[in-house]
Amino acid sequence: MGVKQCFNAPQEVLKYKGSDTTYKWGGHHWTMTTWNKVHVMKAVYDMGVNIVHSDADVVWFSDPLPYFMSLLATPVHMVLATDAVSTHNGKGDTGLEMSANPHTNINTGVYFLRQWPGGREFFALWLTWQDKRVGHDQDGLNFLTRGQYFHGDTDMPTATATTNRLFYAAFSNTTAISFLPASMFGNTYTYVNARLSEKLEHPLYEVHWVWGGSTMESKRQNMRDAMKFHDEPSYYTEPYLLSFDLDQLQMPDGFNSWPNSRTEEMIRFHVSAANYQLQQTYFALAAALITNRTLVMPRFLCYCSKNWYQTQACRINNEELSTFPFVCALSHVLRVKKLQQGFGLPPGNTEYSGHRVFIREYSFLDNPKVPDEIKRSYLEVVPSVLPRPPGQLDPDQMVLLAENTSSRGYGRRLTVAAPLSDGEFAALVARHAAGARVVHLTQPARTLGGFARAETGKQYDTQIQKYVTHWCCRSPPDMAAKNLTEGVQLVALPPDRLADLPQLQPRFSYLHRTPPLPAAGALGVGDVGPLKLLPQRAG
């Protein structure tokens, strides 16, 4: 056909040619644009080829074509991704989803459609739903294939289920539909939270970055974490960096097997653990601001999934394969859109008004695109266990021990008097780390004492809390029975600075202001429950 790689979508087949200044999920312009995708795919299908459709927020980890072409030997006509957060396929089972049935929500982000005599008629049927005003293209396909199983409309036909991993579409009863297992054709939840591909030892073909944050920036951050986003070379070569370690709270015994009845205890431990990590980040971000460096995010650990509706035992939709902790998506703890725009103090600040902190993903220093000379230009800063000398220290007095090799086997290591004020830390870095591309803090909360100027400290407190997100969501029965809010606002401020926290809207509350759970031994530290919150060095 003369097609070498790609070609422009045929504009003449588009039914909607409108425009809008905004592109908002659920809006008219957005809805009509999703239907345009179907018109384009039909035009490609009409060329006589098998087609693979992939949304723009899908990242391919390996070549799916051998898998899709193997389906030509099966009776299935259309194979789709779903909104499932788990799979019924066990280890070694890399076939189509074992529980393919019309009760499952279809996601049109990824699908494979083979050529067969009824294919064009099926596409035409799908497009008839556009004029029925049922919603976007995905809603139309759910109605077409699932019939009354989609919204319970008893006037619609039902899909015909079978026992061999497929069913026949409600409005096209000769079209065989099947599903792609969520372990191999995943979403953010199955990739980040549940890690299904890893646990089931299934090949991972793609991740559709849904179920992981509501903004484009959060999706982009997840792609960067996975080292699957394209950034220009300067992104990897230009910044001077500050990185840091995190201590973790010790997870309670048996936490992963706690039943649904202990969900609230699990939530409180997760929030306590997230706050504990954020309160260390408070000092690391301050250090990056003081030295005007780019901050490399740590691997935050999560002990409860974040969602837009309720969790059960900190998992979504009663799935059972997630184990805690998992490495958080950054949007689980911080507001990614704001972070990607840079962190700075208000214009009225005179000390750090020209400083702005940008971030890099936790995998940044593992990325082969970062030159080795940057990774190895490394200075490790360790706080001394000895009390610091009194009074203001000059840069040489701050250094108690200088070593030519860090704990990583390269770079240098400084043991410093701690805690240092912001001015002292700035002087230390200027004197001893000016050429170091990576300054690494092993214990930021012990290394930096804060801002000497009270007003700057208060401004910093106000700003950083704007960058912290919330956890969500409790179940309505728990909220009603225990008089609890739906979500809990996470906190980056150290315990002695909580007076600076802003007031919250009624939907959220702070953990330290949440009534303790009744009985069962009275709740322990931080109102978490009968748990011991013990710091534990991260590996």
Side-chain angles (χ1 to χ4, degrees):
M1 299 176 191
V3 176
K4 299 298 183 185
Q5 182 177 5
C6 59
F7 56 92
N8 289 331
Q11 297 295 302
E12 66 275 8
V13 306
L14 302 184
K15 187 167 185 176
Y16 172 75
K17 299 184 180 180
S19 61
D20 202 338
T21 56
T22 59
Y23 191 70
K24 184 178 181 181
W25 192 94
H28 175 72
H29 179 56
W30 177 86
T31 299
M32 290 297 101
T33 302
T34 70
W35 282 106
N36 277 352
K37 293 190 300 179
V38 185
H39 288 281
V40 171
M41 294 305 289
K42 182 178 183 300
V44 178
Y45 187 79
D46 286 347
M47 294 177 177
V49 294
N50 305 308
I51 60 173
V52 179
H53 171 271
S54 175
D55 267 0
D57 60 344
V58 171
V59 168
W60 293 88
F61 283 67
S62 54
D63 180 7
L65 291 181
Y67 186 87
F68 286 140
M69 297 308 288
S70 72
L71 302 179
L72 299 181
T74 74
V76 176
H77 298 121
M78 189 176 196
V79 186
L80 298 117
T82 69
D83 281 329
V85 294
S86 192
T87 176
H88 286 79
N89 290 20
K91 283 187 178 182
D93 185 351
T94 58
L96 294 172
E97 176 57 48
M98 189 175 75
S99 65
N101 65 76
H103 297 280
T104 303
N105 281 329
I106 289 169
N107 188 305
T108 54
V110 173
Y111 59 83
F112 171 75
L113 192 70
R114 64 186 293 176
Q115 281 288 326
W116 90 99
R120 295 186 183 188
E121 180 185 355
F122 179 79
F123 251 126
L125 274 174
W126 185 1
L127 287 166
T128 63
W129 289 87
Q130 181 173 3
D131 294 330
K132 296 177 183 179
R133 307 286 181 180
V134 297
H136 52 85
D137 72 310
Q138 186 168 292
D139 290 329
L141 190 66
N142 272 281
F143 276 118
L144 168 60
T145 57
R146 299 168 60 200
Q148 67 175 255
Y149 287 113
F150 183 35
H151 277 272
D153 188 341
T154 55
D155 293 333
M156 290 187 178
T158 59
T160 305
T162 71
T163 57
N164 55 346
R165 306 187 192 223
L166 61 84
F167 62 91
Y168 289 90
F171 285 89
S172 178
N173 59 16
T174 60
T175 301
I177 304 294
S178 191
F179 295 150
L180 298 164
S183 53
M184 300 189 292
F185 296 83
N187 52 52
T188 309
Y189 187 94
T190 63
Y191 175 72
V192 174
N193 301 33
R195 306 188 302 280
L196 291 187
S197 175
E198 169 191 320
K199 290 176 183 172
L200 296 174
E201 299 174 9
H202 289 173
L204 179 64
Y205 290 107
E206 57 84 3
V207 174
H208 188 185
W209 300 103
V210 293
W211 288 93
S214 59
T215 66
M216 178 194 71
E217 289 80 5
S218 63
K219 293 185 180 187
R220 182 165 60 196
Q221 184 66 42
N222 290 334
M223 294 180 200
R224 282 176 170 154
D225 288 348
M227 295 192 282
K228 292 293 184 180
F229 189 80
H230 173 75
D231 282 293
E232 296 301 322
S234 59
Y235 179 87
Y236 303 99
T237 60
E238 289 186 354
Y240 280 70
L241 306 163
L242 188 140
S243 60
F244 64 106
D245 288 334
L246 282 179
D247 285 349
Q248 301 291 343
L249 295 183
Q250 183 173 309
M251 190 172 69
D253 291 340
F255 188 82
N256 273 293
S257 59
W258 284 8
N260 288 353
S261 60
R262 299 190 71 175
T263 297
E264 179 61 22
E265 291 176 75
M266 297 180 76
I267 292 167
R268 294 188 186 209
F269 176 75
H270 165 70
V271 173
S272 294
N275 288 348
Y276 184 67
Q277 294 171 83
L278 285 168
Q279 286 158 8
Q280 297 168 71
T281 306
Y282 173 97
F283 294 97
L285 182 60
L289 177 71
I290 292 161
T291 56
N292 207 22
R293 283 178 172 252
T294 295
L295 185 65
V296 180
M297 288 287 110
R299 284 173 166 81
F300 290 104
L301 296 186
C302 281
Y303 299 83
C304 194
S305 293
K306 180 183 178 183
N307 198 33
W308 63 92
Y309 62 87
Q310 67 184 5
T311 69
Q312 305 87 21
C314 279
R315 301 168 178 89
I316 305 302
N317 294 348
N318 286 302
E319 59 90 7
E320 298 177 347
L321 291 177
S322 291
T323 54
F324 305 111
F326 59 87
V327 177
C328 309
L330 189 58
S331 59
H332 286 194
V333 289
L334 291 163
R335 297 178 64 185
V336 173
K337 184 173 183 176
K338 288 183 70 68
L339 276 173
Q340 289 188 0
Q341 295 166 351
F343 176 91
L345 295 183
N349 180 271
T350 56
E351 289 183 283
Y352 301 107
S353 58
H355 292 201
R356 196 154 194 87
V357 179
F358 293 94
I359 65 165
R360 292 296 185 266
E361 57 275 13
Y362 66 73
S363 58
F364 185 76
L365 291 172
D366 297 323
N367 197 317
K369 294 179 181 179
V370 179
D372 283 345
E373 56 265 31
I374 291 178
K375 297 175 183 178
R376 299 179 75 86
S377 177
Y378 181 86
L379 177 69
E380 188 174 70
V381 180
V382 181
S384 172
V385 296
L386 301 173
R388 61 164 281 163
Q392 183 79 13
L393 304 178
D394 66 41
D396 290 328
Q397 290 174 317
M398 297 175 209
V399 178
L400 305 181
L401 179 64
E403 300 171 83
N404 290 329
T405 305
S406 75
S407 61
R408 297 194 178 184
Y410 54 83
R412 296 178 294 131
R413 176 184 173 101
L414 298 181
T415 301
V416 301
L420 302 175
S421 69
D422 55 336
E424 289 174 328
F425 184 75
L428 174 80
V429 171
R431 176 68 172 271
H432 297 283
R437 298 300 298 271
V438 183
V439 172
H440 182 81
L441 305 183
T442 60
Q443 293 179 278
R446 289 194 57 239
T447 303
L448 186 65
F451 296 92
R453 184 169 170 263
E455 181 59 27
T456 297
K458 196 169 184 66
Q459 290 171 339
Y460 180 77
D461 287 356
T462 300
Q463 285 297 101
I464 192 173
Q465 198 56 35
K466 293 177 182 177
Y467 287 70
V468 177
T469 190
H470 59 267
W471 174 87
C472 204
C473 296
R474 290 183 172 109
S475 69
D478 274 0
M479 292 163 58
K482 299 167 185 172
N483 192 28
L484 298 169
T485 56
E486 184 178 27
V488 185
Q489 176 63 46
L490 302 181
V491 174
L493 304 191
D496 61 348
R497 302 186 72 86
L498 297 183
D500 290 340
L501 287 171
Q503 292 295 312
L504 299 175
Q505 57 176 291
R507 185 184 169 201
F508 301 105
S509 59
Y510 293 114
L511 183 61
H512 65 282
R513 296 177 186 167
T514 303
L517 289 172
L523 297 174
V525 179
D527 291 335
V528 173
L531 314 171
K532 292 182 179 179
L533 302 190
L534 302 175
Q536 175 175 285
R537 287 309 302 272

